[in-house]
Amino acid sequence: MKTILLIEDNPQNRYLVEFLLKQRGYNVLHAETGLQGLELAAIARPDLILLDIQLPGMDGYAVAHALKSDPQLNAIPIVAVTSYAMVGDREKCLAAGAEGYIEKPIDPESFGDEVERFFPTTPGDVAP
Ligand code: MN
C-alpha cells in the first residue's frame, strides 16, 4: 500500500482528500503545519507528498525547499495543492521543488486521477 502525506491546515480539505484517497486504497497521513510535515516525512518516508501552500508559519514553498534540500527526502514527489490563482504561482511551486500542481477547490471527480499521475506505478501494489 502506498502512503501519501498530506500537509494541509484546513480540516475540511484534509477530510475530503483523505476520503478520496482512501477510496483508492492509499494510506493517508496528515500534518497540519509545515514543520509537522517535515518531521512526519522523515519518519514515515511517504511515497508522495501533497502540500498546501498557504500554511501558518512555514509556508508550502519553504516546506518544498526543505524537503528537496534533504538527501533522504528529495526523491519523494511533491504535489502542491493550493487555491492561489495568481499568475506565476505554478512556476513558483515548481521552482520551490514541487513536481506538480493541483488547484483548489478540489474536484472530487478528478482529484484522484490527478494525484495518480505523479506516481511511477499504480496504486494497490503490495509492498515488498
Ligand atoms: Mn492552507
Side-chain angles (χ1 to χ4, degrees):
M1 185 188 273
K2 289 194 187 300
T3 295
I4 295 176
L5 169 60
L6 171 64
I7 306 174
E8 164 67 79
D9 62 314
N10 181 302
Q12 284 175 319
N13 283 331
R14 284 203 306 274
Y15 179 84
L16 177 60
V17 168
E18 177 166 17
F19 174 78
L20 293 171
L21 295 176
K22 281 196 166 168
Q23 236 178 11
R24 290 181 174 241
Y26 293 109
N27 180 37
V28 182
L29 303 174
H30 301 271
E32 294 180 37
T33 68
L35 219 52
Q36 240 178 51
L38 291 174
E39 287 172 3
L40 203 49
I43 296 166
R45 303 290 176 90
D47 297 290
L48 184 137
I49 295 172
L50 289 172
L51 178 60
D52 180 28
I53 295 300
Q54 288 179 289
L55 291 166
M58 189 178 195
D59 72 15
Y61 301 117
V63 175
H65 185 74
L67 288 165
K68 291 306 179 187
S69 304
D70 185 333
Q72 306 290 330
L73 303 175
N74 65 9
I76 303 171
I78 299 171
V79 180
V81 184
T82 177
S83 53
Y84 275 5
M86 284 163 55
V87 174
D89 277 342
R90 179 183 296 259
E91 288 70 22
K92 210 173 158 188
C93 288
L94 301 179
E99 272 72 19
Y101 180 99
I102 297 174
E103 265 183 33
K104 287 181 191 168
I106 288 162
D107 178 357
E109 294 293 321
S110 62
F111 185 76
D113 288 339
E114 289 186 73
V115 170
E116 282 175 10
R117 288 194 294 126
F118 298 99
F119 279 115
T121 54
T122 51
D125 292 345
V126 177

